[in-house]
């Protein structure tokens, strides 16, 4: 090799090679299809079966949805319009949607309040129907069912501070007061009954602060006994005296008028809100070193988990009155809420216990090394991690609880499923079922899918192990 050539040859490239376009199968939609739908023989077969199933549903259900009838007052009228063609008769939803949502809850309650809001004097109107038509021009369903509609709006406002930490913490005071306000709006009666019931918790807090100087045991006992004494002996006479001096009330509504999705939301949301703290306490009790507390919690959890929910609902409906003093009027909805809450709490306790089992032992040792007592170590170190680990199981239990509210139909409470049977018993809609069940399924899907999406959002927000 000549010296000239050896001096001009470079061993390291001093210019970059121009970037080449990637292969067609490695970019865009082709790559996505290859990786997700046709990555192997099994995946390819499943993809083709899925496409065939979607095509089958589209061919058979497409015309049914395409020929939908909304403006019909009976199934016979729908069939007359369709003239032998296949089509959905959504007229039943348009005709009975208020019944599916609110059951037999009275419309246009509290005429004085309605007159103040709308200017329509229902007392002097020519007819109730004329007044309602005139008032509905500006208010619609919110006017007709203003109490449950307002309760639902306030429920959303009360849940926002609980679910999202971006909201100011002071808003939690409204969340704490909402259950009492919702009870008054839905059931009516004197406003002082829920007010003085809510004051029982304030009495318990005051007793806890006052007795804390003596001992923590005395403070705990006082915090439990003080509200009980207030509710059973003082709240009613004081409330009656205040109600006679300052009468503020709504028209009372009986529980047998409740129904539809309103009763499902009442039972579901109340059960969800109460079952989580009770489940946490049961999980802590099951791990307690005190034998009596542990045996009670274990016995309760295993008994409840070994009995079907429908059995507990029948117990609440039929047998519970035998264990109460004669003449006691224990509201059926309240009985169902108690049983559903206890049932969900037992399953929640096992979910929380699984979270404790998944927690590394070093976290317990770290809490002991910091010199924290039992409750501080649970509140500051252990429970936050356990709840984060248990989010999927907790939300799964919530979704199951909300769907299980349909079982109340077996004890005479007309939830959406029960109302669908009542609607089909009408001669105008006798024989229709697909449209009713499709509407009910869609409503349940919206609620359950919303809970699932929020759990995924919460998992991503609390995820701390990513890099």
């Amino acid at each position: 090799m000549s010296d000239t050539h050896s001096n001009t040859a470079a061993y390291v490239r001093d210019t970059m090679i121009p970037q080449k376009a990637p292969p067609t199968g490695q970019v865009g939609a082709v790559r996505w299809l290859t990786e997700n739908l046709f990555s192997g023989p099994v995946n390819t077969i499943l993809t083709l079966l899925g496409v065939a199933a979607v095509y089958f549903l589209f061919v058979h259900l497409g015309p049914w949805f395409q020929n939908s009838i909304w403006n019909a007052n009976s199934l016979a009228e729908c069939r007359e319009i369709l003239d032998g063609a296949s089509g959905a008769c959504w007229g039943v939803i348009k005709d009975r949607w208020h019944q599916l949502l609110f059951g037999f809850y009275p419309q246009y309650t509290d005429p004085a309040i309605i007159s103040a809001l709308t200017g329509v004097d229902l007392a002097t109107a020519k007819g109730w129907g004329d007044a309602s038509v005139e008032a509905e021009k500006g208010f619609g369903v919110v006017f007709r069912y203003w109490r449950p509609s307002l309760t639902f709006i306030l429920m959303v406002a009360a849940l926002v501070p609980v679910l999202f930490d971006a909201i100011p913490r002071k808003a939690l005071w409204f969340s704490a007061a909402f259950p009492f306000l919702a009870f008054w709006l839905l059931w009516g009666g004197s406003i002082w009954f829920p007010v003085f019931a809510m004051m029982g918790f304030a009495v318990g807090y005051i007793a806890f602060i006052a007795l804390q100087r003596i001992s923590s045991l005395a403070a705990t006992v006082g915090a439990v006994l003080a509200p009980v004494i207030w509710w059973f002996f003082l709240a009613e006479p004081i409330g009656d005296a205040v109600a006679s001096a300052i009468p503020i009330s709504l028209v009372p509504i009986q529980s047998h008028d409740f129904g539809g999705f309103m009763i499902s939301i009442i039972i579901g949301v109340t059960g969800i809100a109460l079952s989580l703290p009770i489940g946490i306490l049961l999980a802590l009790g099951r791990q307690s070193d005190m034998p009596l507390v542990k045996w009670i919690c274990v016995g309760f959890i295993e008994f409840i988990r070994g009995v079907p929910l429908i059995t507990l609902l029948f117990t609440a409906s039929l047998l519970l009155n035998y264990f109460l003093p004669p003449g006691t009027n224990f509201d059926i909805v309240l009985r169902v809420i108690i049983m559903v809450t206890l049932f969900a709490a037992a399953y929640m306790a096992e979910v929380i216990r699984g979270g404790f089992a998944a927690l590394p032992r070093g976290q317990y040792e770290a809490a002991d090394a910091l010199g924290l007592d039992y409750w501080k170590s649970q509140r500051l170190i252990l429970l936050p991690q356990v709840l984060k680990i248990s989010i999927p199981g907790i939300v799964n239990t919530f979704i199951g609880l909300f769907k299980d509210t349909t079982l109340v139909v077996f004890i005479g409470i007309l939830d959406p499923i029960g109302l669908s049977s009542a609607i089909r018993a009408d001669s105008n809609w006798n024989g229709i079922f697909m449209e009713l069940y499709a509407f009910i399924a869609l409503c349940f899907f919206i609620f359950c899918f919303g809970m699932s999406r929020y759990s995924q959002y919460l998992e991503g927000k609390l995820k701390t192990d990513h890099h």
Side-chain angles (χ1 to χ4, degrees):
M1 185 179 293
S2 64
D3 294 339
T4 303
H5 181 74
S6 61
N7 292 335
T8 58
Y11 291 95
V12 179
R13 181 178 295 277
D14 57 0
T15 58
M16 295 295 295
I17 299 177
Q19 185 175 0
K20 296 181 179 180
T24 306
Q26 298 298 319
V27 293
V30 177
R31 179 183 178 182
W32 186 89
L33 291 172
T34 302
E35 291 183 351
N36 295 277
L37 301 180
F38 303 100
S39 58
V42 176
N43 205 1
T44 301
I45 294 174
L46 292 176
T47 299
L48 295 177
L49 290 176
V51 171
V54 171
Y55 176 77
F56 177 83
L57 292 175
F58 179 79
V59 168
H60 289 80
L61 293 181
W64 189 72
F65 282 105
Q66 187 177 3
N67 299 329
S68 295
I69 303 298
W70 286 94
N71 296 317
N73 297 318
S74 67
L75 181 59
E77 188 174 341
C78 277
R79 289 172 176 171
E80 183 179 352
I81 296 173
L82 290 170
D83 194 20
S86 175
C89 184
W90 300 110
V92 64
I93 305 300
K94 186 176 180 180
D95 184 49
R96 298 298 185 93
W97 63 269
H98 55 88
Q99 195 171 350
L100 289 170
L101 294 182
F102 303 106
F104 299 101
Y105 200 90
Q107 304 179 32
Y108 310 108
T109 55
D110 309 284
I113 297 177
I114 293 174
S115 299
L117 292 175
T118 64
V120 178
D121 189 356
L122 298 179
T124 60
K126 294 180 181 179
W128 182 268
D130 296 339
S132 65
V133 169
E134 181 181 349
E136 264 198 69
K137 293 178 182 178
F139 290 87
V141 64
V142 176
F143 168 75
R144 294 173 64 186
Y145 296 95
W146 74 272
R147 281 163 59 172
S149 300
L150 179 60
T151 304
F152 181 79
I153 295 171
L154 294 178
M155 181 191 75
V156 175
L159 287 175
V160 169
V162 178
L163 301 179
F164 303 99
D165 57 2
I167 307 300
R169 296 292 89 187
K170 292 182 179 180
L172 289 173
W173 288 104
F174 173 73
S175 302
F178 168 75
F180 304 94
L181 178 60
F183 175 85
W184 179 61
L185 285 174
L186 293 176
W187 274 270
S190 174
I191 193 175
W192 300 113
F193 176 76
V195 167
F196 281 91
M198 183 169 53
M199 287 179 62
F201 294 97
V203 170
Y205 178 75
I206 294 173
F208 180 81
I209 297 298
L211 297 175
Q212 201 169 19
R213 301 175 182 177
I214 302 175
S215 68
S216 58
L217 179 61
T220 303
V221 173
V224 174
L225 290 181
V228 173
I229 295 173
W230 170 266
W231 288 326
F232 280 91
F233 300 103
L234 300 176
E236 185 175 357
I238 297 176
D240 292 342
V242 175
S244 60
I246 312 175
I248 302 176
S249 63
L250 295 174
V251 174
I253 306 297
Q254 300 299 319
S255 293
H256 58 72
D257 292 327
F258 286 45
F261 278 99
M262 183 178 69
I263 196 68
S264 295
I265 293 174
I266 291 173
I267 297 173
V269 172
T270 306
I272 287 171
L274 296 177
S275 64
L276 180 58
I278 297 176
I280 292 174
L281 292 176
L282 288 172
L284 293 175
R286 184 160 190 163
Q287 298 187 125
S288 175
D289 294 330
M290 294 182 285
L292 180 61
V293 173
K294 182 175 181 178
W295 294 340
I296 292 175
C297 293
V298 170
F300 174 83
I301 292 171
E302 296 303 329
F303 172 76
I304 294 294
R305 292 176 68 222
V307 176
L309 177 58
I310 188 64
T311 304
L312 298 177
L313 293 178
F314 276 121
T315 301
S317 175
L318 303 174
L319 301 179
L320 197 58
N321 282 337
Y322 290 105
F323 300 96
L324 298 174
T328 303
N329 184 17
F330 200 178
D331 189 90
I332 181 63
V333 175
L334 180 58
R335 283 182 271 167
V336 169
I337 288 175
I338 291 174
M339 286 300 181
V340 169
T341 300
L342 296 179
F343 182 82
Y347 283 87
M348 190 65 63
E350 289 300 285
V351 172
I352 301 298
R353 188 172 70 90
F356 276 111
L359 200 62
R361 185 63 191 172
Q363 297 299 317
Y364 296 87
E365 297 172 354
D368 294 337
L370 291 173
L372 301 176
D373 60 19
Y374 177 80
W375 291 110
K376 285 185 178 180
S377 63
Q378 293 290 348
R379 181 170 60 89
L380 299 175
I381 296 179
L382 303 179
L383 270 180
Q385 299 181 73
V386 168
L387 293 177
K388 185 183 76 169
I389 295 171
S390 306
I391 286 176
I394 291 174
V395 176
N396 186 55
T397 304
F398 287 166
I399 291 174
L401 166 62
F402 186 73
K403 292 188 294 185
D404 284 343
T405 57
T406 55
L407 294 176
V408 298
V409 68
F410 293 107
I411 58 173
I413 298 178
L414 294 181
D415 72 317
I417 302 295
L419 284 172
S420 68
S421 300
I423 292 172
R424 287 188 291 110
D426 188 346
S427 59
N428 290 328
W429 301 111
N430 189 9
I432 196 168
F433 59 94
M434 280 289 294
E435 293 83 351
L436 288 169
Y437 291 144
F439 176 76
I440 294 170
L442 176 63
C443 292
F444 271 103
F445 173 79
I446 291 173
F447 282 101
C448 297
F449 182 72
M451 285 189 278
S452 176
R453 294 300 300 175
Y454 175 76
S455 72
Q456 294 180 25
Y457 155 79
L458 197 59
E459 286 183 63
K461 189 177 187 322
L462 298 178
K463 190 175 182 181
T464 56
D465 56 351
H466 59 275
H467 300 288

